[in-house]
């Protein structure tokens, strides 16, 4: 992998990680923090990358396979594949230990990375990881939100599918948040990314499973963050975080005030401070 890192050059770069190329950005020096975005949209962590709270770290932000400038595979990509891609990116950059910041489905990917490459993953910050394991509210959300979204996919309307899903988990104002943080063109980019999510990643997320026995193998310190306002849409994420807090040997859960599932865009400054504080207390 070619790396032409400088402290001032924040242009997107591409890395060959075997079967795909990943688009990524990096800045700073010190402990490495990987920002691995959630599903549906590749830019969930774009504002977080620039937050001053992370200035004392080497921050890497990646577009996972299927999103934006990264390779859009023509085959099914599993969550283990996504974990492997990200770990290979880090190792290609010369990183020996990294702190994984994951959101929703990339929370599950981070757990998979910690299982598959425990020597690399120093800690996990999981922002409302997707429901594996799941509590009783998961079935309700599937019927109320995921089912209608997939019906829209079946009709070829990815704009409607993304709108149904994000209204259902992030709240009715998600479009305003996306445009305020990323500009008017962000909604078009979101729908483009959502096409990959609905035709590829959502299957991978459903197929990925975690039980108590496997979770007990994840020894990396883990912070589980739940938005204080997420309950207005669903209790699913807090139920999953509560189960993971019991299953993961070194986990604790916190509540982030004033935000819901879209927290990286809703309040990137608060999320950045949360990450910086946790990583700072778990230096490798």
């Amino acid at each position: 992998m070619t790396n032409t890192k400088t402290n001032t050059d924040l242009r997107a770069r591409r890395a060959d990680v075997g079967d795909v190329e990943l688009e990524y950005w990096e800045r700073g020096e010190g402990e490495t923090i990987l920002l691995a975005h959630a599903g549906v949209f590749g830019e969930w962590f774009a504002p977080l990358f620039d937050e001053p709270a992370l200035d004392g770290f080497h921050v890497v932000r990646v577009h996972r396979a299927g999103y934006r400038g990264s390779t859009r595979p023509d085959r099914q990509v599993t969550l283990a594949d996504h974990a492997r891609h990200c770990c290979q990116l880090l190792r290609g950059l010369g990183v020996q230990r990294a702190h994984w910041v994951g959101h929703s489905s990339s929370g599950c990917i981070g757990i998979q990375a910690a299982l598959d490459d425990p020597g690399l993953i120093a800690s996990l910050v999981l922002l409302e990881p997707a429901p594996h394991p799941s509590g009783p509210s998961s079935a309700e959300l599937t019927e109320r939100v995921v089912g209608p979204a997939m019906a829209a996919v079946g009709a070829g309307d990815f704009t409607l599918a993304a709108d149904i899903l994000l209204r259902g988990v992030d709240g009715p104002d998600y479009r305003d948040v996306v445009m305020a943080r990323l500009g008017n063109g962000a909604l078009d980019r979101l729908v483009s990314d959502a096409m990959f999510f609905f035709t590829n990643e959502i299957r991978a997320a459903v197929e990925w499973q975690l039980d108590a026995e496997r979770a007990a193998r994840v020894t990396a310190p883990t912070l589980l963050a739940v938005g204080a306002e997420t309950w207005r849409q669903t209790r699913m994420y807090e139920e999953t975080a509560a189960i993971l807090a019991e299953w993961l040997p070194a986990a604790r859960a916190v509540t982030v005030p004033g935000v819901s599932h879209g927290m990286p865009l809703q309040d990137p400054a608060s999320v950045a401070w949360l990450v910086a504080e946790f990583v700072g207390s778990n230096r490798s």
Side-chain angles (χ1 to χ4, degrees), residues 78-281:
T78 67
L79 296 197
D81 289 331
H82 285 292
R84 173 174 52 82
H85 295 157
C86 291
C87 289
Q88 288 180 346
L89 169 65
L90 291 170
R91 293 205 179 274
L93 294 174
V95 175
Q96 297 183 356
R97 294 281 281 170
H99 303 269
W100 182 292
V101 180
H103 173 214
S104 200
S105 62
S106 68
C108 302
I109 297 168
I111 293 173
Q112 186 66 52
L115 287 167
D116 294 342
D117 200 343
L120 178 62
I121 305 303
S123 73
L124 297 165
V125 179
L126 308 181
L127 311 177
E128 296 199 345
H132 294 291
S134 62
S137 297
S138 179
E140 186 275 333
L141 189 81
T142 296
E143 180 178 355
R144 175 172 55 88
V145 174
V146 178
M150 294 308 296
V153 170
D157 192 339
F158 290 94
T159 300
L160 178 59
D163 186 65
I164 292 170
L165 182 63
L166 294 180
R167 284 181 183 275
V169 297
D170 289 351
D173 64 343
Y174 84 91
R175 293 168 62 91
D176 295 335
V177 173
V178 169
M179 288 190 292
R181 295 293 182 194
L182 302 170
N184 292 337
L187 291 174
D188 290 336
R189 300 194 300 273
L190 186 155
V191 172
S192 177
D193 282 351
M195 293 176 67
F196 173 78
F197 174 79
F198 283 116
T199 59
N200 196 303
E201 186 173 326
I202 195 167
R203 172 183 166 187
V206 170
E207 290 178 348
W208 187 81
Q209 297 295 326
L210 183 73
D211 57 27
E213 182 178 357
R214 292 184 73 221
R217 293 165 42 203
V218 179
T219 58
T222 302
L223 184 69
L224 298 157
V226 176
E229 303 302 316
T230 303
W231 67 271
R232 299 181 186 278
Q233 307 303 318
T234 178
R235 296 280 187 183
M236 178 178 72
Y237 296 109
E238 65 182 271
E239 290 168 0
T240 291
I243 297 170
L244 289 174
E246 293 184 1
W247 284 5
L248 298 171
R252 64 182 178 91
V254 297
T255 300
V256 185
V259 297
S260 63
H261 191 62
M263 66 179 78
L265 288 183
Q266 292 166 344
D267 192 351
S270 292
V271 174
W273 279 111
L274 184 76
V275 170
E277 181 181 55
F278 185 74
V279 171
S281 65

Side-chain angles (χ1 to χ4, degrees), residues 12-138:
R13 303 163 192 180
R14 291 177 67 85
D16 184 341
V17 295
D19 52 335
V20 299
E21 287 189 346
L22 298 182
E23 183 176 50
Y24 74 98
W25 295 256
E26 63 175 333
R27 72 175 182 94
E29 297 180 353
E31 297 274 320
T32 296
I33 295 172
L34 176 70
L35 304 178
H37 63 82
V40 183
F41 192 29
E43 297 178 43
W44 290 113
F45 282 144
L48 191 67
F49 177 77
D50 295 319
E51 281 295 326
L54 302 184
D55 284 352
F57 301 96
H58 172 218
V59 186
V60 179
R61 178 170 79 90
V62 63
H63 277 155
R64 296 189 283 104
Y67 292 87
R68 305 308 303 145
S70 296
T71 301
R72 182 160 292 194
D74 57 4
R75 64 171 182 83
Q76 179 65 39
V77 182
T78 67
L79 296 197
D81 289 331
H82 285 292
R84 173 174 52 82
H85 295 157
C86 291
C87 289
Q88 288 180 346
L89 169 65
L90 291 170
R91 293 205 179 274
L93 294 174
V95 175
Q96 297 183 356
R97 294 281 281 170
H99 303 269
W100 182 292
V101 180
H103 173 214
S104 200
S105 62
S106 68
C108 302
I109 297 168
I111 293 173
Q112 186 66 52
L115 287 167
D116 294 342
D117 200 343
L120 178 62
I121 305 303
S123 73
L124 297 165
V125 179
L126 308 181
L127 311 177
E128 296 199 345
H132 294 291
S134 62
S137 297
S138 179

